[in-house]
Amino acid sequence: MVIVMQPSASEDDLSTVVEFIRSGNGEAFVSRGVNRTVIGLVGDVDQFDDHHLRSLQGVADVVRISAKYKLVSREHHPHRSAVRVGGVPIGPDTVTLIAGPCAVETFDQTLEAATMAREAGATLLRGGAYKPRSSPYAFQGLGPLGLRILAEVREATGLPVVTEVVSPADVDLVAEHVDMVQIGTRNMQNFPLLQAVGAIDKPVMLKRGMSSTIEEWLMAAEYIAQRGNLDIVLCERGIRTFETETRNTLDVSAVPVAQQLSHLPVIIDPSHSGGRRDLVLPLTRAAIAVGADGVIVDVHATPETALCDGPQALVHADIPLLAAAVEAFATASGRTMVRTDRLAV
Amino acid sequence: MVIVMQPSASEDDLSTVVEFIRSGNGEAFVSRGVNRTVIGLVGDVDQFDDHHLRSLQGVADVVRISAKYKLVSREHHPHRSAVRVGGVPIGPDTVTLIAGPCAVETFDQTLEAATMAREAGATLLRGGAYKPRSSPYAFQGLGPLGLRILAEVREATGLPVVTEVVSPADVDLVAEHVDMVQIGTRNMQNFPLLQAVGAIDKPVMLKRGMSSTIEEWLMAAEYIAQRGNLDIVLCERGIRTFETETRNTLDVSAVPVAQQLSHLPVIIDPSHSGGRRDLVLPLTRAAIAVGADGVIVDVHATPETALCDGPQALVHADIPLLAAAVEAFATASGRTMVRTDRLAV
Amino acid sequence: MVIVMQPSASEDDLSTVVEFIRSGNGEAFVSRGVNRTVIGLVGDVDQFDDHHLRSLQGVADVVRISAKYKLVSREHHPHRSAVRVGGVPIGPDTVTLIAGPCAVETFDQTLEAATMAREAGATLLRGGAYKPRSSPYAFQGLGPLGLRILAEVREATGLPVVTEVVSPADVDLVAEHVDMVQIGTRNMQNFPLLQAVGAIDKPVMLKRGMSSTIEEWLMAAEYIAQRGNLDIVLCERGIRTFETETRNTLDVSAVPVAQQLSHLPVIIDPSHSGGRRDLVLPLTRAAIAVGADGVIVDVHATPETALCDGPQALVHADIPLLAAAVEAFATASGRTMVRTDRLAV
Amino acid sequence: MVIVMQPSASEDDLSTVVEFIRSGNGEAFVSRGVNRTVIGLVGDVDQFDDHHLRSLQGVADVVRISAKYKLVSREHHPHRSAVRVGGVPIGPDTVTLIAGPCAVETFDQTLEAATMAREAGATLLRGGAYKPRSSPYAFQGLGPLGLRILAEVREATGLPVVTEVVSPADVDLVAEHVDMVQIGTRNMQNFPLLQAVGAIDKPVMLKRGMSSTIEEWLMAAEYIAQRGNLDIVLCERGIRTFETETRNTLDVSAVPVAQQLSHLPVIIDPSHSGGRRDLVLPLTRAAIAVGADGVIVDVHATPETALCDGPQALVHADIPLLAAAVEAFATASGRTMVRTDRLAV
């Protein structure tokens, strides 16, 4: 940590800052320049709050060097982790395909989507029972009934299930029914919810907030890890920008950046980022090429009647193309597709 | 609602869309042009989902004309509303000052801040007992103890209290202790939380999500209203942009825009938007000048030891300036400051 | 300037960096911590390029402390400057109103707008002869004919004139005809154009790039100053964000921030930032309240036939409201409106 | 084009709008709903300005359906174009690699970078003689001397040359010396410069403005096309967002979107978007995977001494990796690398 003094700071100001640091058992190294003095602060700096230091008389700026997260950081955990979901691995040298409907509507619709997912090479099924929707008048998901449908479709297809949870009160129920719980983009900084999923023994997929920095994303993961659950999969799903041709702007750079800062697997959601069916395949290819550990895709047999996000769902005709693309780009990336033999017929 | 067909759409595509609308008891007016055909859709259009319509074969775009919110809209409630908090009115022709510490730390600190708030002309006390923090290692608030302190300080000063709630499970407890509950920027789309505060009989202050559009903000308010609670105060607190000199960019335009679209009062938080003490007074002046119904400001007697957001808190020396500024700009705006006689000594 | 070494940096890496700095006559102070070493760099640091330093083996980060601009900085020029335009002052303790049509269309239209401007209390006339338009099919301005019209209207009204220049080749011609040349938002980083207006002896109004940081804005001003022209007025006109209700988001915080970093006057354009007539008055009030040294506003007698930006122009009915608002908020801000007696009838 | 009337619009308002359209030889179709009336406008709608229509009494909104650009649009030119640069094709079914130093510093440095470029499989050489820099104190390029060096290196290596032009006055000189002129991100809306390169007979690479929408990018291309030069290559180079880990956010979605809207080739610059050497390879892979027609990459033998953007330049050790990645991902994409036999030894 480095403290930059103002040009106008007095010797007294300087002494006060140095005393403050030493009283907290930190070490302070003072470097005097022509216009400015700089204090290097080492030792256990996590106890010092940047804001406090900035409030001290004469302080111009505080530059924190060490990361604001630890458990999810790669600094003390240099090897990238794999997370297993119902036996299916995600990361670090493979590509895992997750697919399914945006929202669970009926058993038949979910089963058909799961069948499409399997044909595309997916080894995990996605599907929403609780849907956070901007409008209170939009379909909010089937809730517990949706969870039961997902469990039945898992039974029928052998695909482990990923589903979103939106309320701390529902976490236990959801965790009972599915193999990985998802924290959606709007809840990335819903801290009670993060703490709740930090206390379960199922893996968690943490979507990046649509306007969160990578650092905030990793701090959100740290909330989960701090409660004891380190089985976290990060999911980039597009960020909010000024561009209006796409619903969000897929930030592919976030994948190598997050993989460098954190040991957790990082996957991409090409469906929600673009919000357009015609972009799902190119963005899937880009996702794998940039080094994502997996891809999560919406599929729906009849998207024109879907209760949620129909325009971005892949249809039957897209499935062979998706399967071929994932295979080809995993190979070009020197990775192998995750396959599984434990699937029922 | 207007449906724009693709240039390549066939007559069959057109018929399908028209049939679909009529089967839903909507009326469809077809306008044929040289290159394109356009369908005007009237009647009860809320039942039609934009995404569904966009999925129909041949449809290029769907333009929704009516607002996605109703209860908070000004369309059916043309007069701007006042919300009363413990007897203190907010809006539509007055300026209400809310002030207090970012976080409740001790009884003495809170009382001192409340005294500063009163000196500045505040008639409501703010103070956080539950603090959503980006880092799990930062101070998270005193919780129930903080609520008790706030209640005691209200007793001592007569100032009704506003405090944040972050979890649906805490809503009833918080509502018991305070006069207005606040939904913070990170929770603007925490829908279970919105629904929970929609069910209480205390007013709600809804901060705008730091990257939410005004439309999303009003839809979030609609979530609260839909559960029966229409005592909602909107609070603009800065949005996330590329600029790094300020923590967020205060969007003053959002005040007149939201006041035009919604009948709810709109206030501004100049402390969290800038994140800098030196900007609080100029932004307070701008807030009142642009037409805000109130301002909510951080004050702290010793911000250099504050456990949260010290660098943005006004100090003793700022209080007379704040009082004078609020008075002068309320007057210039043709509004009166809200005063109260029910305060204890 | 502070250089932060990587945790893995070797002693050799450290020596190389220190040698590099000393070979450039800089002084290096080394602070060793438990995990990291930090080098304080003082002396004439402007010669060191941040990027170079970052490229050295073992360097993790480089933090520049001193500003990247000098001539426009307040560090060496502590008092805020006034710029005089045809005898009319802008800043630092007054409010100057500039008004006129977005584009010059005819002599009559420009004269009528100038008359409206004067009635509103404007002492400078704005009007575009060269219009940078996103579409090549939109009206691009009258060019030299527009300049002649502006000169004639100045003659008729006594109002000095501000107009935009878009090409280095036109700078001399424009400077001959008008009293202040304007660099528009799209040209804020058109460096040959900045250099060209840096060489004239007329003041320059520099609009902030719609997605430029305040630091980039001040560096752009430095380009002008470096060529010898320090008569620069900064103009905030809204930045690009995700919000779509307004054309741009007016960043009122930029005014006090820029005034603190630079001695140059800072004004606001409330017409282009919102892009909506109904927002011009509230944003004008906010502009003055936040401390702007002036406001520049579009007016047009018949905006429904305007060739450019009609929807944001104030009309006859708005003029008395504008005059009253500017007067009232200047007074509340402890500033005086700039008036002039040299105007012809 | 669709005109949406306000709920409060009168019959007179409606008649005025309809008359206005018919007087301009447009056809107006009126659709009356319960709350609103909508007017479909067909025929030659380009003559109507959206802003004018919005200014008419009673008009709530105007929705333009047809694109604001024509010559670069795919609507009337359905097949994607190839652009040939000194004999080297860019698009539509191949991958072209362009590489070289950010800035030309010396003949030797440029030759060495060109040699690296060829080893990586590049068939075009990039290199800047005129550098637009945010700070007036940064290296601005060698100017005409840089052009001569580029011409000599082309002679020595056989690689056609791409270089940036920043001023209309330099366009002819630059065009004489090089094979493709580049418009940089800061000049995307420098309309006189666009018009100047529209008049030459060399291809133009148009970088997307760092905060420009895809629509604005295509309108900028239209400025060039309108002057007669249709040999335009679009280059996505990252957009400005709130994320600070990367210099800009590479918008890979822009490639398929722009290719769908326009027939022009679209390439990606992975060096300037991320601003970090470690991201260049992953972003290059993503660029090809998403469907880019080429990639333009910075290379430098000794980036620690580079006068511009050293931290993002690939070095000798990266070259074989780049060559392998481009080859593998072009193949996975079903495209072939552009090779050339006309290169000298």
Side-chain angles (χ1 to χ4, degrees), chain A residues 138-160:
Chain A
F139 175 62
Q140 312 270 325
L142 297 181
L145 171 60
L147 295 177
R148 282 197 298 277
I149 291 175
L150 284 168
E152 287 165 21
V153 172
R154 176 178 49 188
E155 192 73 18
T157 62
L159 291 172

Short mmCIF file of all heavy atoms in Angstrom, two decimals, chain A residues 138-160:
data_model
loop_
_atom_site.label_atom_id
_atom_site.label_comp_id
_atom_site.label_asym_id
_atom_site.label_seq_id
_atom_site.Cartn_x
_atom_site.Cartn_y
_atom_site.Cartn_z
N ALA A 138 -44.17 -9.64 -15.58
CA ALA A 138 -43.63 -10.72 -16.41
C ALA A 138 -43.65 -12.04 -15.63
O ALA A 138 -43.71 -12.05 -14.40
CB ALA A 138 -42.20 -10.37 -16.83
N PHE A 139 -43.58 -13.14 -16.35
CA PHE A 139 -43.58 -14.49 -15.77
C PHE A 139 -42.41 -14.64 -14.81
O PHE A 139 -41.27 -14.40 -15.16
CB PHE A 139 -43.47 -15.49 -16.93
CG PHE A 139 -43.33 -16.92 -16.50
CD1 PHE A 139 -44.35 -17.55 -15.77
CD2 PHE A 139 -42.19 -17.65 -16.82
CE1 PHE A 139 -44.21 -18.89 -15.39
CE2 PHE A 139 -42.06 -18.98 -16.45
CZ PHE A 139 -43.07 -19.60 -15.72
N GLN A 140 -42.72 -15.05 -13.58
CA GLN A 140 -41.69 -15.08 -12.54
C GLN A 140 -41.18 -16.49 -12.24
O GLN A 140 -40.44 -16.70 -11.28
CB GLN A 140 -42.24 -14.47 -11.24
CG GLN A 140 -42.95 -13.13 -11.39
CD GLN A 140 -42.04 -11.92 -11.25
OE1 GLN A 140 -41.10 -11.93 -10.48
NE2 GLN A 140 -42.28 -10.89 -12.05
N GLY A 141 -41.58 -17.45 -13.04
CA GLY A 141 -41.10 -18.82 -12.82
C GLY A 141 -42.11 -19.65 -12.05
O GLY A 141 -42.99 -19.11 -11.38
N LEU A 142 -41.97 -20.99 -12.14
CA LEU A 142 -42.92 -21.90 -11.50
C LEU A 142 -42.60 -22.15 -10.04
O LEU A 142 -43.38 -22.78 -9.33
CB LEU A 142 -42.94 -23.25 -12.24
CG LEU A 142 -43.40 -23.23 -13.70
CD1 LEU A 142 -43.36 -24.64 -14.26
CD2 LEU A 142 -44.81 -22.64 -13.81
N GLY A 143 -41.42 -21.73 -9.58
CA GLY A 143 -41.06 -21.94 -8.18
C GLY A 143 -40.87 -23.42 -7.87
O GLY A 143 -40.29 -24.16 -8.69
N PRO A 144 -41.38 -23.90 -6.71
CA PRO A 144 -41.15 -25.29 -6.29
C PRO A 144 -41.57 -26.31 -7.36
O PRO A 144 -40.90 -27.34 -7.53
CB PRO A 144 -42.00 -25.42 -5.03
CG PRO A 144 -42.09 -24.02 -4.49
CD PRO A 144 -42.08 -23.12 -5.69
N LEU A 145 -42.66 -26.03 -8.06
CA LEU A 145 -43.08 -26.95 -9.13
C LEU A 145 -41.98 -27.06 -10.18
O LEU A 145 -41.69 -28.14 -10.69
CB LEU A 145 -44.39 -26.43 -9.76
CG LEU A 145 -44.85 -27.15 -11.02
CD1 LEU A 145 -45.10 -28.62 -10.75
CD2 LEU A 145 -46.13 -26.49 -11.58
N GLY A 146 -41.35 -25.94 -10.49
CA GLY A 146 -40.26 -25.95 -11.45
C GLY A 146 -39.10 -26.82 -10.96
O GLY A 146 -38.48 -27.55 -11.75
N LEU A 147 -38.83 -26.75 -9.68
CA LEU A 147 -37.75 -27.57 -9.12
C LEU A 147 -38.07 -29.06 -9.29
O LEU A 147 -37.20 -29.87 -9.62
CB LEU A 147 -37.55 -27.26 -7.64
CG LEU A 147 -37.05 -25.84 -7.30
CD1 LEU A 147 -36.96 -25.67 -5.78
CD2 LEU A 147 -35.68 -25.59 -7.93
N ARG A 148 -39.34 -29.41 -9.04
CA ARG A 148 -39.72 -30.82 -9.18
C ARG A 148 -39.59 -31.28 -10.62
O ARG A 148 -39.11 -32.38 -10.90
CB ARG A 148 -41.16 -31.02 -8.68
CG ARG A 148 -41.23 -31.06 -7.14
CD ARG A 148 -42.55 -31.66 -6.66
NE ARG A 148 -43.71 -30.88 -7.06
CZ ARG A 148 -44.16 -29.80 -6.41
NH1 ARG A 148 -43.53 -29.37 -5.33
NH2 ARG A 148 -45.22 -29.16 -6.84
N ILE A 149 -40.00 -30.41 -11.56
CA ILE A 149 -39.86 -30.78 -12.97
C ILE A 149 -38.39 -30.99 -13.31
O ILE A 149 -38.03 -31.97 -13.98
CB ILE A 149 -40.48 -29.68 -13.88
CG1 ILE A 149 -42.01 -29.66 -13.71
CG2 ILE A 149 -40.07 -29.86 -15.32
CD1 ILE A 149 -42.71 -28.54 -14.48
N LEU A 150 -37.55 -30.10 -12.83
CA LEU A 150 -36.12 -30.25 -13.13
C LEU A 150 -35.60 -31.58 -12.59
O LEU A 150 -34.82 -32.28 -13.25
CB LEU A 150 -35.33 -29.09 -12.52
CG LEU A 150 -35.45 -27.76 -13.28
CD1 LEU A 150 -34.88 -26.61 -12.45
CD2 LEU A 150 -34.72 -27.85 -14.63
N ALA A 151 -36.01 -31.94 -11.38
CA ALA A 151 -35.55 -33.19 -10.79
C ALA A 151 -36.02 -34.38 -11.62
O ALA A 151 -35.28 -35.35 -11.84
CB ALA A 151 -36.03 -33.29 -9.33
N GLU A 152 -37.25 -34.30 -12.11
CA GLU A 152 -37.77 -35.40 -12.93
C GLU A 152 -37.03 -35.49 -14.26
O GLU A 152 -36.75 -36.59 -14.75
CB GLU A 152 -39.26 -35.19 -13.20
CG GLU A 152 -40.14 -35.44 -11.96
CD GLU A 152 -41.55 -34.89 -12.13
OE1 GLU A 152 -41.97 -34.68 -13.29
OE2 GLU A 152 -42.22 -34.65 -11.11
N VAL A 153 -36.72 -34.36 -14.83
CA VAL A 153 -36.01 -34.39 -16.12
C VAL A 153 -34.59 -34.88 -15.91
O VAL A 153 -34.03 -35.59 -16.77
CB VAL A 153 -36.05 -32.99 -16.79
CG1 VAL A 153 -35.16 -32.96 -18.01
CG2 VAL A 153 -37.48 -32.63 -17.16
N ARG A 154 -33.99 -34.56 -14.80
CA ARG A 154 -32.67 -35.12 -14.49
C ARG A 154 -32.76 -36.63 -14.42
O ARG A 154 -31.94 -37.35 -14.99
CB ARG A 154 -32.15 -34.57 -13.16
CG ARG A 154 -30.83 -35.22 -12.76
CD ARG A 154 -30.28 -34.64 -11.47
NE ARG A 154 -31.32 -34.62 -10.44
CZ ARG A 154 -31.20 -34.02 -9.27
NH1 ARG A 154 -30.08 -33.39 -8.96
NH2 ARG A 154 -32.18 -34.04 -8.40
N GLU A 155 -33.79 -37.11 -13.75
CA GLU A 155 -34.04 -38.55 -13.64
C GLU A 155 -34.13 -39.17 -15.04
O GLU A 155 -33.52 -40.20 -15.34
CB GLU A 155 -35.36 -38.75 -12.88
CG GLU A 155 -35.64 -40.16 -12.42
CD GLU A 155 -34.73 -40.53 -11.25
OE1 GLU A 155 -34.16 -39.60 -10.62
OE2 GLU A 155 -34.58 -41.71 -10.98
N ALA A 156 -34.87 -38.50 -15.89
CA ALA A 156 -35.15 -39.06 -17.22
C ALA A 156 -33.93 -39.00 -18.13
O ALA A 156 -33.77 -39.85 -19.02
CB ALA A 156 -36.31 -38.29 -17.86
N THR A 157 -33.07 -38.01 -17.94
CA THR A 157 -31.98 -37.82 -18.91
C THR A 157 -30.60 -38.07 -18.32
O THR A 157 -29.63 -38.19 -19.07
CB THR A 157 -31.98 -36.35 -19.41
OG1 THR A 157 -31.75 -35.50 -18.27
CG2 THR A 157 -33.27 -35.98 -20.08
N GLY A 158 -30.49 -38.08 -17.01
CA GLY A 158 -29.18 -38.25 -16.40
C GLY A 158 -28.35 -36.98 -16.35
O GLY A 158 -27.21 -36.99 -15.90
N LEU A 159 -28.93 -35.88 -16.80
CA LEU A 159 -28.17 -34.62 -16.80
C LEU A 159 -28.29 -33.93 -15.44
O LEU A 159 -29.39 -33.57 -15.03
CB LEU A 159 -28.70 -33.67 -17.87
CG LEU A 159 -28.46 -34.04 -19.33
CD1 LEU A 159 -29.24 -33.07 -20.23
CD2 LEU A 159 -26.98 -33.97 -19.67
N PRO A 160 -27.18 -33.70 -14.75
CA PRO A 160 -27.24 -32.88 -13.53
C PRO A 160 -27.77 -31.49 -13.86
O PRO A 160 -27.62 -31.02 -15.00
CB PRO A 160 -25.78 -32.82 -13.05
CG PRO A 160 -25.12 -34.00 -13.69
CD PRO A 160 -25.81 -34.20 -15.00
#
